[in-house]
Amino acid sequence: MAKGVYIHIPFCHQICNYCDFNKVFFKNQPVDEYIECLGKEMKMTVAKNPQAFERIETIFFGGGTPTALSPEQLERLLILVKEAIPMDAVKEFSSEANPDELTREKIKVLHRHGVNRLSIGVQSFDQELLRKLGRTHDNDHVYKTIQAAKEEGFTNISIDLMYGLPGQTMEQWQHTLKMALELQLPHFSAYSLIVEPKTIFYNLMNKGKLPLPGEDNEADMYNYLMDTMEKSGLEQYEISNFGKAGHESLHNLIYWDNEEYAGFGAGASGYLDGVRYSNHGPLKKYMEAIDQGELPILNRTQVDWKAQVEEELFLGLRKSAGINKTHFSNKFGKPVEAVFGDKIIKLVQDGLLVEENDQLKLSKNGRFVGNEVFQEFLLD
């Protein structure tokens, strides 16, 4: 049974230099037709398996840039969502947003139709770094957008930040965190730059034209981030996420808890009835399938027991609370030690994992090398 719904809006007015998500330039795209196709996909999916959608708790608009849509397009999308998805149990309805695109009119539309959480892509408070990232907003956009959102009734607002950026110094990172915390928001996400293939940054890196801070400097930035957030009373509940109690991202927790969710839109992924699936990415292929009365699914993978236990570890260990041993045993029919015993012992001895009461979790040192720890839980 799905707990969450992800809806992908692949349109952007500006493509960021680091982004590898499925996206296209907004201009001259069939945006209105795409929105109608989203409505049809949602209705078809729910009709095929209504039981899976009886207790949807979260909905998330991601992209691309959902706020690239006009107020009228946003309103139409929100109407279609409410027509297709049972809303009775929804606790959190989130939308990603760009600071220079989230006008007060769009804020009003989102709030009026039940969106109660905003995730705003700020990334940095340094204008030169924003330019390198390909971002088009400035700090004034951030302040005005957040103030307008608060005035229109939003209390659950998060901003995204990035570190390990080309040419970024520790002083610039410290300044960004200072500016961010002065906003007195209940949630922050902070990610290190990962240079992905098929991005402008990837091409620059291959040409030797992307001066990154280096692993040691990036580790120092992450350590400063953790210490600063803790001193500010924000709990690190996941490797890259910090929030006040009661303001954790419920939608992202569905992923980290290895629960099921539906994904709608071009290039979206989902996990339903033990099957992970992904949709066609190109708009034409996605929309052609919908117009033919078919679901636009490109591939399906049945998640077997081996893959399930692997995912339970490397998703669950992203959370500061880690995984609960009793829950693991009840879910998979055997103790976690019976599956990963030797690996757990080694990682605990290396100081990367901690066993505390009934929890297994990353140590602080383990957070710096999380991906390396996760790889240890891939079964032969």
Side-chain angles (χ1 to χ4, degrees):
M1 179 179 289
K3 287 186 70 175
V5 166
Y6 173 82
I7 298 169
H8 192 71
I9 310 300
F11 307 109
C12 295
H13 291 294
Q14 170 69 21
I15 304 296
C16 298
N17 296 338
Y18 55 88
C19 180
D20 72 329
F21 293 115
N22 190 47
K23 77 280 181 187
V24 293
F25 278 110
F26 188 95
K27 190 175 181 181
N28 299 323
Q29 296 294 340
V31 181
D32 293 322
E33 294 87 343
Y34 177 81
I35 292 171
E36 297 303 318
C37 283
L38 270 174
K40 291 175 184 176
E41 183 195 3
M42 288 186 283
K43 286 182 177 178
M44 280 193 288
T45 304
V46 175
K48 282 177 177 284
N49 191 0
Q51 293 81 14
F53 292 86
E54 288 177 349
R55 296 287 301 174
I56 296 297
E57 296 182 8
T58 70
I59 301 174
F60 192 98
F61 286 168
T65 316
T67 51
L69 303 181
S70 69
E72 294 76 19
Q73 289 166 337
L74 271 175
E75 182 138 40
R76 179 59 182 160
L77 173 61
L78 286 156
I79 289 170
L80 290 171
V81 169
K82 290 194 285 188
E83 287 178 354
I85 306 298
M87 303 291 291
D88 293 346
V90 172
K91 301 173 184 175
E92 180 187 275
F93 194 161
S94 302
S95 179
E96 292 181 343
N98 277 349
D100 52 341
E101 294 177 347
L102 187 57
T103 63
R104 188 176 287 266
E105 189 176 0
K106 292 178 187 180
I107 294 170
K108 287 178 181 288
V109 170
L110 291 169
H111 193 261
R112 185 167 65 246
H113 286 279
V115 175
N116 58 14
R117 183 177 185 273
L118 297 174
S119 178
I120 301 174
V122 173
Q123 317 311 356
S124 177
F125 283 91
D126 184 284
Q127 199 60 47
E128 178 60 22
L129 288 176
L130 288 173
R131 185 190 64 77
K132 289 180 181 179
L133 291 171
R135 305 292 289 176
T136 55
H137 72 268
D138 58 31
N139 293 350
D140 198 44
H141 286 126
V142 176
Y143 303 138
K144 288 181 177 178
T145 297
I146 290 175
Q147 182 61 32
K150 289 179 177 179
E151 290 173 358
E152 294 300 330
F154 280 95
T155 58
N156 197 355
I157 301 172
S158 175
I159 62 173
D160 287 354
L161 303 171
M162 295 180 71
Y163 60 96
L165 303 177
Q168 186 181 30
T169 65
M170 176 61 86
E171 289 73 24
Q172 286 173 312
W173 179 229
Q174 290 170 338
H175 174 72
T176 278
L177 286 179
K178 178 178 180 292
M179 300 286 281
L181 290 168
E182 286 177 355
L183 295 170
Q184 296 186 317
L185 299 176
H187 191 279
F188 298 89
S189 298
Y191 304 99
S192 64
L193 173 69
I194 299 175
V195 181
E196 301 283 5
K198 301 180 181 179
T199 63
I200 293 173
F201 274 178
Y202 186 78
N203 294 333
L204 289 173
M205 185 177 70
N206 285 341
K207 295 175 183 177
K209 296 181 179 180
L210 194 71
L212 298 174
E215 288 184 5
D216 289 344
N217 289 332
E218 186 177 308
D220 288 343
M221 291 179 184
Y222 184 49
N223 193 50
Y224 183 81
L225 166 70
M226 290 191 289
D227 289 347
T228 301
M229 289 295 176
E230 183 178 3
K231 290 174 184 175
S232 300
L234 293 152
E235 180 187 354
Q236 183 178 14
Y237 68 98
E238 190 269 346
I239 285 178
S240 302
N241 285 271
F242 307 81
K244 295 180 180 177
H247 288 84
E248 299 85 357
S249 171
L250 300 181
H251 185 81
N252 285 337
L253 281 168
I254 290 172
Y255 302 150
W256 302 321
D257 287 338
N258 204 16
E259 303 272 8
E260 295 196 345
Y261 60 95
F264 297 112
S269 298
Y271 181 30
L272 287 174
D273 294 329
V275 175
R276 291 198 181 275
Y277 66 91
S278 59
N279 283 348
H280 288 287
L283 293 186
K284 185 177 180 181
K285 287 190 175 182
Y286 169 81
M287 294 171 67
E288 282 178 349
I290 299 291
D291 288 339
Q292 293 167 9
E294 301 172 357
L295 291 176
I297 295 175
L298 173 63
N299 56 55
R300 296 177 174 88
T301 302
Q302 183 73 44
V303 183
D304 60 18
W305 186 90
K306 171 178 170 291
Q308 287 180 37
V309 296
E310 291 174 345
E311 292 174 355
E312 191 79 11
L313 266 292
F314 61 69
L315 290 170
L317 286 174
R318 291 191 62 89
K319 300 178 296 179
S320 295
I323 66 160
N324 181 273
K325 293 181 182 180
T326 299
H327 174 77
F328 183 98
S329 182
N330 291 338
K331 185 173 181 178
F332 297 108
K334 58 176 65 177
V336 66
E337 292 87 353
V339 186
F340 299 108
D342 291 342
K343 295 181 179 183
I344 292 172
I345 291 170
K346 180 179 183 300
L347 290 167
V348 170
Q349 289 174 343
D350 291 344
L352 301 178
L353 278 186
V354 174
E355 293 184 276
E356 190 174 284
N357 298 324
D358 203 28
Q359 300 297 121
L360 182 68
K361 57 187 181 180
L362 290 177
S363 66
K364 185 173 182 179
N365 287 338
R367 294 175 193 170
F368 288 92
V369 290
N371 287 337
E372 295 174 27
V373 175
F374 304 152
Q375 287 175 10
E376 291 295 314
F377 293 102
L378 293 174
L379 296 170
D380 297 330

